[in-house]
């Protein structure tokens, strides 16, 4: 817990969980604000999930050949761009681009979460380290829907939650 490496990777995956759980629960309503219907939301979910599966396969290979910090940085940058695009969607083409970016970033982040800890800290305390990281991710994922709901209640829109998360994810 005293290592900055733990916090960079832990907070990155936690913020991904926060954003994805919030949008996962309120995504249809968020897209409705932008003029899209339920079918568009389901298309986004299905296509981003398929892209995430393929991204996980690619990320597994990339994690063996590239520094995991750079891989994480690239995924977080893609995720910040995807959330930015999500907040201003206007066309179905933009929706499809967003789905690809969300899926690619999410697939990489999931692989990194499981790959980084033994590389960064070794095997000796791996269970304790992964437990602490998982705790961060679970707590953040639980807060995502609360953040989105709070923005909708107090600000009249779900999009301020995205606007808040974009710079945080970009910085991580």
């Amino acid at each position: 817990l005293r290592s900055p490496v733990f916090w960079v990777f832990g907070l990155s995956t936690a913020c991904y969980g926060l954003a994805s759980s919030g949008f996962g629960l309120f995504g249809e309503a968020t897209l409705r604000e932008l003029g899209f219907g339920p079918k568009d939301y389901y298309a986004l979910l299905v296509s981003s999930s398929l892209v995430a599966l393929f991204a996980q396969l690619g990320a597994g290979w990339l994690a063996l050949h590239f520094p995991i910090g750079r891989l994480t940085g690239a995924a977080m940058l893609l995720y910040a761009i995807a959330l930015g695009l999500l907040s201003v969607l206007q066309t179905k083409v933009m929706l499809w681009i967003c789905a690809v970016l969300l899926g690619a970033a999410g697939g990489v982040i999931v692989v990194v979460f499981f790959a980084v800890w033994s590389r960064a800290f070794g095997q000796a305390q791996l269970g304790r380290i992964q437990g602490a990281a998982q705790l961060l991710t679970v707590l953040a994922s639980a807060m995502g829907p609360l953040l989105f709901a709070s923005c909708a209640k107090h600000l009249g829109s779900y999009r301020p939650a995205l606007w808040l998360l974009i710079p945080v994810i970009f910085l991580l």
Side-chain angles (χ1 to χ4, degrees), residues 51-89:
V51 170
L53 289 174
F54 287 104
Q56 288 175 355
L57 292 172
W61 182 87
L62 289 170
L64 295 173
H65 296 90
F66 292 95
I68 205 155
R70 289 188 181 158
L71 188 59
T72 304
M76 294 300 281
L77 178 61
L78 281 180
Y79 199 58
I81 291 168
L83 293 179
L85 183 60
L86 190 60
S87 72
V88 296
L89 286 176

Side-chain angles (χ1 to χ4, degrees), residues 40-142:
D40 298 314
Y41 173 67
Y42 299 124
L44 174 80
L45 281 181
V46 169
S47 56
S48 64
S49 296
L50 290 173
V51 170
L53 289 174
F54 287 104
Q56 288 175 355
L57 292 172
W61 182 87
L62 289 170
L64 295 173
H65 296 90
F66 292 95
I68 205 155
R70 289 188 181 158
L71 188 59
T72 304
M76 294 300 281
L77 178 61
L78 281 180
Y79 199 58
I81 291 168
L83 293 179
L85 183 60
L86 190 60
S87 72
V88 296
L89 286 176
Q90 295 178 352
T91 67
K92 294 216 182 200
V93 170
M94 290 173 73
L95 183 70
W96 288 109
I97 292 168
C98 189
V100 169
L101 293 175
L102 287 170
V108 172
I109 292 166
V110 166
V111 169
V112 163
F113 179 79
F114 291 103
V116 70
W117 309 118
S118 64
R119 275 208 200 157
F121 302 106
Q123 298 287 318
Q125 301 296 323
L126 187 57
R128 292 172 68 190
I129 295 164
Q130 285 180 325
Q134 191 68 42
L135 176 68
L136 278 177
T137 302
V138 169
L139 289 175
S141 295

Side-chain angles (χ1 to χ4, degrees), residues 22 26 29-30 32-33 148-149 151-153 156-163:
F26 295 108
T30 303
R32 188 178 321 115
E33 287 179 8
F148 275 69
C151 283
K153 180 179 179 180
S157 174
Y158 295 100
R159 288 187 289 168
L162 296 172
W163 299 331

